[in-house]
Protein backbone atom coordinates (compact mmCIF):
# COMPACT_ATOMS: atom_id res chain seq x y z
CA UNK A 1 0.00 0.00 0.00
CA UNK A 2 1.35 3.44 -0.87
CA UNK A 3 1.53 6.13 1.76
CA UNK A 4 -1.25 8.65 2.28
CA UNK A 5 -0.82 11.72 0.01
CA UNK A 6 0.07 14.07 2.89
CA UNK A 7 2.80 11.70 4.10
CA UNK A 8 4.10 11.31 0.55
CA UNK A 9 4.41 15.08 0.14
CA UNK A 10 6.24 15.34 3.47
CA UNK A 11 8.67 12.66 2.28
CA UNK A 12 9.21 14.64 -0.94
CA UNK A 13 7.65 11.86 -3.04
CA UNK A 14 5.47 12.63 -6.05
CA UNK A 15 1.72 13.02 -5.53
CA UNK A 16 -1.17 13.04 -7.97
CA UNK A 17 -2.26 16.46 -6.69
CA UNK A 18 -1.02 18.57 -3.78
CA UNK A 19 -2.67 17.42 -0.53
CA UNK A 20 -4.55 20.05 1.47
CA UNK A 21 -5.90 20.80 4.93
CA UNK A 22 -6.78 24.04 6.70
CA UNK A 23 -5.59 25.37 10.04
CA UNK A 24 -8.59 25.57 12.40
CA UNK A 25 -10.57 23.43 9.97
CA UNK A 26 -12.79 22.45 12.90
CA UNK A 27 -14.43 25.43 14.52
CA UNK A 28 -17.18 27.93 14.85
CA UNK A 29 -17.64 28.60 11.12
CA UNK A 30 -19.26 25.12 10.96
CA UNK A 31 -22.86 24.75 12.21
CA UNK A 32 -22.11 21.11 13.15
CA UNK A 33 -19.29 22.32 15.41
CA UNK A 34 -21.46 24.95 17.06
CA UNK A 35 -24.08 22.28 17.83
CA UNK A 36 -21.56 19.97 19.55
CA UNK A 37 -19.92 22.94 21.30
CA UNK A 38 -23.27 24.12 22.69
CA UNK A 39 -23.77 20.75 24.42
CA UNK A 40 -20.22 20.40 25.68
CA UNK A 41 -20.07 23.18 28.27
CA UNK A 42 -16.88 25.24 28.00
CA UNK A 43 -14.27 25.02 25.26
CA UNK A 44 -11.85 23.04 27.46
CA UNK A 45 -14.65 20.61 28.36
CA UNK A 46 -15.00 19.98 24.64
CA UNK A 47 -11.25 19.37 24.29
CA UNK A 48 -11.32 16.79 27.12
CA UNK A 49 -14.56 15.07 26.11
CA UNK A 50 -13.21 12.18 24.05
CA UNK A 51 -16.38 11.39 22.05
CA UNK A 52 -17.06 15.03 21.23
CA UNK A 53 -13.45 15.92 20.40
CA UNK A 54 -13.27 12.92 18.03
CA UNK A 55 -16.55 13.99 16.44
CA UNK A 56 -15.55 17.61 15.80
CA UNK A 57 -12.17 16.50 14.40
CA UNK A 58 -14.02 14.42 11.79
CA UNK A 59 -16.69 17.00 10.89
CA UNK A 60 -14.59 18.94 8.35
CA UNK A 61 -13.36 15.68 6.75
CA UNK A 62 -16.94 14.59 6.10
CA UNK A 63 -17.90 18.00 4.75
CA UNK A 64 -14.84 18.90 2.68
CA UNK A 65 -12.57 15.83 2.26
CA UNK A 66 -9.27 17.25 3.51
CA UNK A 67 -6.14 15.08 3.25
CA UNK A 68 -5.39 15.51 6.95
CA UNK A 69 -7.25 15.51 10.24
CA UNK A 70 -5.78 17.67 12.99
CA UNK A 71 -6.41 16.58 16.54
CA UNK A 72 -9.05 18.82 18.10
CA UNK A 73 -7.42 20.39 21.13
CA UNK A 74 -5.61 23.61 21.96
CA UNK A 75 -2.03 24.72 22.58
CA UNK A 76 -3.02 25.91 26.08
CA UNK A 77 -3.61 22.41 27.41
CA UNK A 78 0.16 22.19 28.03
CA UNK A 79 0.23 24.97 30.67
CA UNK A 80 -2.89 23.34 32.10
CA UNK A 81 -1.08 19.99 32.18
CA UNK A 82 1.82 21.67 33.97
CA UNK A 83 -0.56 22.82 36.69
CA UNK A 84 -1.26 26.43 35.68
CA UNK A 85 -4.83 27.67 35.98
CA UNK A 86 -6.28 28.05 32.44
CA UNK A 87 -9.82 28.91 31.40
CA UNK A 88 -11.66 30.42 28.45
CA UNK A 89 -13.86 33.47 28.89
CA UNK A 90 -16.90 33.00 26.69
CA UNK A 91 -16.72 35.30 23.66
CA UNK A 92 -13.34 36.70 24.74
CA UNK A 93 -10.58 34.12 24.73
CA UNK A 94 -8.06 32.39 26.92
CA UNK A 95 -7.19 33.43 30.47
CA UNK A 96 -4.36 32.05 32.61
CA UNK A 97 -3.20 32.90 36.11
CA UNK A 98 0.03 34.56 34.92
CA UNK A 99 3.44 33.45 36.12
CA UNK A 100 5.98 36.18 36.93
CA UNK A 101 9.08 34.12 37.61
CA UNK A 102 10.47 30.63 37.31
CA UNK A 103 9.73 30.19 41.03
CA UNK A 104 6.03 30.21 40.17
CA UNK A 105 6.76 27.35 37.82
CA UNK A 106 8.80 25.36 40.31
CA UNK A 107 5.57 24.75 42.21
CA UNK A 108 4.27 22.75 39.26
CA UNK A 109 4.87 19.03 38.96
CA UNK A 110 5.95 18.29 35.37
CA UNK A 111 5.46 14.54 35.80
CA UNK A 112 1.70 15.08 36.17
CA UNK A 113 1.37 16.39 32.60
CA UNK A 114 0.81 13.06 30.88
CA UNK A 115 -1.75 11.98 33.48
CA UNK A 116 -3.65 15.29 33.33
CA UNK A 117 -3.70 15.26 29.54
CA UNK A 118 -4.57 11.58 29.13
CA UNK A 119 -7.95 12.38 27.44
CA UNK A 120 -6.01 14.09 24.62
CA UNK A 121 -4.04 10.90 23.95
CA UNK A 122 -7.27 8.91 24.02
CA UNK A 123 -8.72 11.25 21.36
CA UNK A 124 -5.64 10.62 19.18
CA UNK A 125 -5.88 6.88 19.66
CA UNK A 126 -9.61 6.82 18.82
CA UNK A 127 -9.00 8.99 15.75
CA UNK A 128 -6.20 6.74 14.60
CA UNK A 129 -8.58 3.74 14.60
CA UNK A 130 -11.60 5.56 13.21
CA UNK A 131 -9.75 7.28 10.37
CA UNK A 132 -8.44 3.88 9.26
CA UNK A 133 -12.07 2.76 8.91
CA UNK A 134 -13.74 5.88 7.51
CA UNK A 135 -11.04 8.01 5.88
CA UNK A 136 -8.23 5.69 4.99
CA UNK A 137 -6.23 8.20 2.88
CA UNK A 138 -6.44 10.91 5.55
CA UNK A 139 -3.35 11.49 7.71
CA UNK A 140 -3.61 12.28 11.42
CA UNK A 141 -1.72 15.37 12.60
CA UNK A 142 -0.93 15.92 16.28
CA UNK A 143 0.27 19.31 17.47
CA UNK A 144 1.57 21.51 20.24
CA UNK A 145 2.30 25.18 20.66
CA UNK A 146 5.98 26.06 20.34
CA UNK A 147 7.61 27.11 23.64
CA UNK A 148 7.72 30.84 22.80
CA UNK A 149 4.03 31.12 21.87
CA UNK A 150 2.94 29.05 24.88
CA UNK A 151 5.19 31.20 27.11
CA UNK A 152 3.47 34.39 25.87
CA UNK A 153 0.16 33.12 27.25
CA UNK A 154 1.71 31.77 30.46
CA UNK A 155 3.33 35.12 31.25
CA UNK A 156 0.75 37.59 29.88
CA UNK A 157 -2.19 35.53 31.13
CA UNK A 158 -4.13 36.13 27.91
CA UNK A 159 -3.85 37.03 24.22
CA UNK A 160 -1.54 40.01 23.99
CA UNK A 161 -0.98 42.99 21.75
CA UNK A 162 2.46 44.15 22.84
CA UNK A 163 3.83 41.17 24.82
CA UNK A 164 5.09 43.63 27.43
CA UNK A 165 5.79 41.24 30.28
CA UNK A 166 7.08 38.26 28.36
CA UNK A 167 9.39 40.31 26.13
CA UNK A 168 10.83 42.26 29.05
CA UNK A 169 11.53 38.96 30.76
CA UNK A 170 13.07 37.36 27.65
CA UNK A 171 15.16 40.42 26.68
CA UNK A 172 16.00 41.52 30.23
CA UNK A 173 16.74 38.25 32.01
CA UNK A 174 17.44 35.62 29.35
CA UNK A 175 19.00 33.18 31.82
CA UNK A 176 15.85 32.75 33.89
CA UNK A 177 13.57 33.01 30.85
CA UNK A 178 15.66 30.20 29.36
CA UNK A 179 14.66 27.99 32.26
CA UNK A 180 10.99 28.53 31.41
CA UNK A 181 11.67 27.73 27.75
CA UNK A 182 13.70 24.64 28.69
CA UNK A 183 10.87 23.41 30.85
CA UNK A 184 8.46 23.88 27.93
CA UNK A 185 10.83 22.10 25.53
CA UNK A 186 10.89 19.05 27.82
CA UNK A 187 7.13 19.05 28.37
CA UNK A 188 6.43 19.47 24.67
CA UNK A 189 8.70 16.53 23.80
CA UNK A 190 6.81 14.37 26.33
CA UNK A 191 3.45 15.63 25.13
CA UNK A 192 4.14 15.07 21.42
CA UNK A 193 5.80 11.70 22.07
CA UNK A 194 2.60 10.55 23.79
CA UNK A 195 0.54 11.77 20.80
CA UNK A 196 2.82 9.82 18.44
CA UNK A 197 2.59 6.70 20.62
CA UNK A 198 -1.21 7.09 20.45
CA UNK A 199 -1.18 7.22 16.63
CA UNK A 200 -0.34 10.73 15.38
CA UNK A 201 1.42 10.30 12.01
CA UNK A 202 2.74 13.89 11.72
CA UNK A 203 3.22 16.65 14.29
CA UNK A 204 3.06 20.41 13.86
CA UNK A 205 4.58 23.02 16.16
CA UNK A 206 2.65 26.32 16.19
CA UNK A 207 4.77 29.40 16.87
CA UNK A 208 2.05 31.87 16.00
CA UNK A 209 3.71 34.80 17.75
CA UNK A 210 7.34 34.20 16.61
CA UNK A 211 7.08 37.45 14.60
CA UNK A 212 6.78 39.48 17.82
CA UNK A 213 10.49 38.88 18.53
CA UNK A 214 13.53 40.61 17.03
CA UNK A 215 15.95 38.61 14.90
CA UNK A 216 18.16 37.38 17.76
CA UNK A 217 15.06 36.64 19.83
CA UNK A 218 13.55 34.59 17.01
CA UNK A 219 16.66 32.46 16.80
CA UNK A 220 17.00 31.97 20.52
CA UNK A 221 13.38 31.68 21.70
CA UNK A 222 11.55 30.41 18.63
CA UNK A 223 13.83 28.50 16.23
CA UNK A 224 16.26 26.86 18.67
CA UNK A 225 13.61 25.43 21.02
CA UNK A 226 11.54 24.15 18.07
CA UNK A 227 14.66 22.52 16.63
CA UNK A 228 15.46 20.90 19.97
CA UNK A 229 11.98 19.40 20.08
CA UNK A 230 12.16 18.23 16.45
CA UNK A 231 15.60 16.66 16.91
CA UNK A 232 14.55 14.81 20.01
CA UNK A 233 11.40 13.49 18.31
CA UNK A 234 13.44 12.48 15.25
CA UNK A 235 15.72 10.39 17.46
CA UNK A 236 12.79 8.55 18.96
CA UNK A 237 10.50 8.47 15.92
CA UNK A 238 12.60 8.93 12.77
CA UNK A 239 9.63 8.29 10.46
CA UNK A 240 7.30 10.91 11.90
CA UNK A 241 7.50 14.19 9.95
CA UNK A 242 7.65 17.48 11.86
CA UNK A 243 6.09 20.68 10.48
CA UNK A 244 7.12 24.04 11.94
CA UNK A 245 4.93 27.14 11.75
CA UNK A 246 6.89 30.25 12.73
CA UNK A 247 4.50 33.01 11.79
CA UNK A 248 5.61 36.38 10.40
CA UNK A 249 9.36 35.90 10.58
CA UNK A 250 9.90 36.97 6.95
CA UNK A 251 13.16 35.97 5.31
CA UNK A 252 14.42 34.47 8.58
CA UNK A 253 12.34 31.47 7.47
CA UNK A 254 15.42 30.54 5.45
CA UNK A 255 17.33 29.87 8.67
CA UNK A 256 14.61 27.49 9.80
CA UNK A 257 14.60 25.73 6.43
CA UNK A 258 18.34 25.15 6.63
CA UNK A 259 18.26 23.68 10.14
CA UNK A 260 17.61 20.28 8.62
CA UNK A 261 15.26 19.00 11.34
CA UNK A 262 11.92 20.14 9.92
CA UNK A 263 10.25 18.22 7.10
CA UNK A 264 7.94 21.11 6.22
CA UNK A 265 7.48 24.78 7.00
CA UNK A 266 4.02 26.25 7.25
CA UNK A 267 4.21 29.74 5.73
CA UNK A 268 2.11 32.82 6.31
CA UNK A 269 0.86 34.99 3.44
CA UNK A 270 3.58 37.61 3.85
CA UNK A 271 6.17 35.13 2.52
CA UNK A 272 6.84 35.68 -1.20
CA UNK A 273 5.81 32.76 -3.42
CA UNK A 274 8.95 33.05 -5.57
CA UNK A 275 11.27 33.30 -2.52
CA UNK A 276 9.66 30.21 -0.97
CA UNK A 277 9.92 28.24 -4.23
CA UNK A 278 13.51 29.22 -5.00
CA UNK A 279 15.05 29.41 -1.53
CA UNK A 280 12.99 27.22 0.81
CA UNK A 281 11.53 24.39 -1.28
CA UNK A 282 14.96 22.85 -2.05
CA UNK A 283 15.28 22.23 1.71
CA UNK A 284 11.74 21.53 2.93
CA UNK A 285 8.18 20.78 1.91
CA UNK A 286 6.16 24.02 1.77
CA UNK A 287 2.79 24.34 3.49
CA UNK A 288 0.53 27.34 3.00
CA UNK A 289 -0.20 30.12 2.45
CA UNK A 290 -3.64 31.45 1.48
CA UNK A 291 -4.83 34.37 3.61
CA UNK A 292 -7.89 33.08 5.56
CA UNK A 293 -9.58 36.40 4.73
CA UNK A 294 -9.53 35.26 1.09
CA UNK A 295 -11.81 32.41 2.17
CA UNK A 296 -14.09 34.87 3.94
CA UNK A 297 -14.10 36.93 0.71
CA UNK A 298 -14.67 33.96 -1.62
CA UNK A 299 -15.40 34.20 -5.37
CA UNK A 300 -12.81 35.03 -8.01
CA UNK A 301 -10.39 36.63 -5.56
CA UNK A 302 -10.17 33.42 -3.51
CA UNK A 303 -9.88 31.13 -6.52
CA UNK A 304 -7.24 33.29 -8.18
CA UNK A 305 -5.11 33.53 -5.04
CA UNK A 306 -5.35 29.77 -4.41
CA UNK A 307 -4.42 28.98 -8.03
CA UNK A 308 -1.40 31.28 -7.84
CA UNK A 309 -0.07 29.43 -4.82
CA UNK A 310 -0.63 26.06 -6.45
CA UNK A 311 1.07 27.15 -9.66
CA UNK A 312 4.04 28.58 -7.83
CA UNK A 313 4.73 25.59 -5.61
CA UNK A 314 3.33 22.48 -7.31
CA UNK A 315 6.62 21.45 -8.94
CA UNK A 316 8.15 20.58 -5.56
CA UNK A 317 7.01 19.16 -2.23
CA UNK A 318 3.91 21.13 -1.23
CA UNK A 319 0.83 20.94 1.02
CA UNK A 320 -1.89 23.51 0.38
CA UNK A 321 -3.03 25.30 3.53
CA UNK A 322 -3.89 28.75 4.83
CA UNK A 323 -1.55 31.32 6.35
CA UNK A 324 -3.41 31.16 9.69
CA UNK A 325 -6.63 29.61 10.98
CA UNK A 326 -10.11 29.85 9.46
CA UNK A 327 -12.14 32.44 11.36
CA UNK A 328 -15.76 32.19 12.56
CA UNK A 329 -17.38 34.45 9.89
CA UNK A 330 -16.05 32.24 7.03
CA UNK A 331 -18.97 31.09 4.85
CA UNK A 332 -19.16 27.29 4.63
CA UNK A 333 -19.93 27.61 0.89
CA UNK A 334 -16.52 29.24 0.34
CA UNK A 335 -14.68 26.46 2.17
CA UNK A 336 -16.65 24.00 0.05
CA UNK A 337 -15.78 25.74 -3.23
CA UNK A 338 -12.10 25.96 -2.33
CA UNK A 339 -11.95 22.31 -1.24
CA UNK A 340 -13.62 21.12 -4.45
CA UNK A 341 -11.08 23.00 -6.49
CA UNK A 342 -8.18 21.61 -4.44
CA UNK A 343 -9.46 18.04 -4.84
CA UNK A 344 -9.26 18.32 -8.64
CA UNK A 345 -6.11 16.82 -10.11
O1 LIG B 1 -15.11 29.03 21.25
C1 LIG B 1 -14.52 28.13 20.63
O2 LIG B 1 -15.11 27.23 20.03
C2 LIG B 1 -13.04 28.15 20.76
C3 LIG B 1 -12.31 28.55 19.54
C4 LIG B 1 -11.04 27.70 19.48
C5 LIG B 1 -10.83 26.56 18.68
C6 LIG B 1 -11.79 25.95 17.69
C7 LIG B 1 -9.88 27.87 20.27
C8 LIG B 1 -9.69 28.89 21.32
N1 LIG B 1 -8.96 26.86 19.95
C9 LIG B 1 -9.52 26.05 18.99
C10 LIG B 1 -8.94 24.83 18.42
C11 LIG B 1 -7.52 24.85 18.05
N2 LIG B 1 -6.56 25.70 18.52
C12 LIG B 1 -6.91 23.93 17.17
C13 LIG B 1 -7.69 22.73 16.65
C14 LIG B 1 -7.51 22.06 15.45
C15 LIG B 1 -7.85 22.76 14.13
O3 LIG B 1 -6.97 23.47 13.59
O4 LIG B 1 -8.94 22.51 13.60
C16 LIG B 1 -5.56 24.30 17.07
C17 LIG B 1 -4.50 23.65 16.21
C18 LIG B 1 -5.36 25.40 17.92
C19 LIG B 1 -4.06 26.04 18.16
C20 LIG B 1 -4.00 27.36 18.83
N3 LIG B 1 -4.69 27.82 19.92
C21 LIG B 1 -3.05 28.35 18.47
C22 LIG B 1 -2.01 28.20 17.40
C23 LIG B 1 -2.56 28.41 16.04
C24 LIG B 1 -3.11 29.79 15.77
O5 LIG B 1 -4.32 29.87 15.46
O6 LIG B 1 -2.33 30.76 15.84
C25 LIG B 1 -3.23 29.45 19.34
C26 LIG B 1 -2.45 30.75 19.35
C27 LIG B 1 -4.28 29.11 20.26
C28 LIG B 1 -4.77 29.92 21.40
C29 LIG B 1 -6.22 30.14 21.36
N4 LIG B 1 -7.15 29.14 21.40
C30 LIG B 1 -8.41 29.65 21.31
C31 LIG B 1 -8.29 31.07 21.25
C32 LIG B 1 -9.43 32.05 21.15
C33 LIG B 1 -6.92 31.36 21.29
C34 LIG B 1 -6.29 32.72 21.31
C35 LIG B 1 -5.85 33.22 19.98
C36 LIG B 1 -5.23 34.60 20.12
O7 LIG B 1 -4.51 34.86 21.11
O8 LIG B 1 -5.44 35.43 19.20
Amino acid sequence: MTDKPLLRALKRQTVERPPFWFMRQAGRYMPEYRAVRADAGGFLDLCFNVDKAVEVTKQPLRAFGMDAAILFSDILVVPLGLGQKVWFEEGEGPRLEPIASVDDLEAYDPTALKQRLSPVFEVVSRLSKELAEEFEQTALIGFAGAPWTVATYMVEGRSSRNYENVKQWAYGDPASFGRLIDRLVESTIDYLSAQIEAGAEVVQLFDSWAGALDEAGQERWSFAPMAEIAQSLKQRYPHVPVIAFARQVGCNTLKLAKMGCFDALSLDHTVSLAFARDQLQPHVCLQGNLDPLMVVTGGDAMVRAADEIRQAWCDGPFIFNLSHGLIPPTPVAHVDELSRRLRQV
Side-chain angles (χ1 to χ4, degrees):
M1 205 181 81
T2 58
D3 269 339
K4 299 172 181 184
L6 188 100
L7 301 178
R8 291 183 62 80
L10 286 165
K11 291 177 185 164
R12 318 179 68 86
Q13 295 165 350
T14 50
V15 284
E16 208 185 349
R17 60 158 176 83
F20 76 101
W21 65 281
F22 303 136
M23 288 193 246
R24 291 272 175 103
Q25 60 192 26
R28 275 176 296 175
Y29 78 98
M30 289 188 84
E32 304 93 305
Y33 172 86
R34 294 196 298 269
V36 175
R37 171 86 161 79
D39 287 345
F43 171 68
L44 286 172
D45 298 312
L46 174 56
C47 293
F48 292 122
N49 180 317
V50 176
D51 288 336
K52 287 187 163 59
V54 168
E55 169 59 20
V56 296
T57 304
K58 293 198 293 187
Q59 285 173 344
L61 310 179
R62 272 189 214 117
F64 311 115
M66 288 89 174
D67 295 291
I70 180 158
L71 158 71
F72 187 85
S73 185
D74 196 79
I75 63 166
L76 298 178
V77 301
V78 166
L80 188 91
L82 284 170
Q84 192 169 8
K85 214 169 143 193
V86 179
W87 70 103
F88 279 80
E89 288 290 339
E90 215 49 55
E92 285 190 41
R95 294 285 184 277
L96 300 86
E97 209 163 72
I99 57 165
S101 74
V102 191
D103 297 338
D104 292 342
L105 199 66
E106 297 303 335
Y108 304 153
D109 171 13
T111 60
L113 181 120
K114 276 207 205 163
Q115 179 56 38
R116 288 203 184 98
L117 302 184
S118 61
V120 176
F121 312 129
E122 215 182 311
V123 175
V124 175
S125 150
R126 279 268 305 276
L127 282 168
S128 170
K129 290 194 195 80
E130 294 182 27
L131 292 187
E133 288 157 15
E134 286 177 64
F135 304 97
E136 56 176 18
Q137 288 298 301
T138 307
L140 178 56
I141 303 177
F143 74 91
W148 163 253
T149 288
V150 174
T152 66
Y153 291 97
M154 292 177 80
V155 176
E156 300 294 339
R158 54 188 300 163
S159 305
S160 177
R161 185 177 286 270
N162 295 322
Y163 308 94
E164 285 163 36
N165 302 302
V166 70
K167 284 172 77 169
Q168 287 185 78
W169 185 358
Y171 291 159
D173 185 3
S176 88
F177 189 68
R179 285 168 61 208
L180 171 60
I181 292 294
D182 287 347
R183 170 66 68 85
L184 288 171
V185 166
E186 283 163 32
S187 304
T188 308
I189 292 167
D190 287 349
Y191 179 57
L192 289 175
S193 297
Q195 290 186 31
I196 292 168
E197 301 278 346
E201 297 168 290
V202 178
V203 293
Q204 175 155 329
L205 286 164
F206 286 90
D207 218 350
S208 305
W209 314 129
L213 289 161
D214 66 6
E215 183 176 13
Q218 286 172 19
E219 288 191 31
R220 183 159 184 188
W221 305 124
S222 171
F223 303 172
M226 282 202 288
E228 226 184 297
I229 294 166
Q231 277 154 358
S232 171
L233 293 175
K234 287 274 166 204
Q235 270 176 5
R236 293 189 208 185
Y237 312 102
H239 303 298
V240 176
V242 180
I243 306 173
F245 177 45
R247 213 172 130 257
Q248 284 180 352
V249 300
C251 56
N252 289 340
T253 316
L254 188 56
K255 293 181 192 157
L256 266 179
K258 288 184 173 172
M259 287 176 120
C261 51
F262 305 113
D263 299 273
L265 294 183
S266 207
L267 303 173
D268 68 74
H269 59 257
T270 65
V271 177
S272 136
L273 296 180
F275 165 80
R277 180 194 58 214
D278 298 340
Q279 306 285 323
L280 306 177
Q281 210 169 23
H283 303 283
V284 290
C285 176
L286 305 179
Q287 177 173 276
N289 71 342
L290 184 69
D291 186 341
L293 263 297
M294 281 290 185
V295 195
V296 179
T297 308
D300 285 349
M302 171 181 79
V303 169
R304 224 179 301 123
D307 285 353
E308 267 174 36
I309 296 166
R310 285 210 297 178
Q311 267 158 27
W313 293 351
C314 69
D315 290 335
F318 163 47
I319 298 164
F320 189 96
N321 205 316
L322 308 178
S323 62
H324 204 185
L326 284 168
I327 59 170
T330 309
V332 167
H334 296 176
V335 181
D336 186 44
E337 187 186 353
L338 178 60
S339 303
R340 282 174 198 279
R341 198 164 179 91
L342 296 172
R343 287 201 308 267
Q344 287 166 8
V345 176

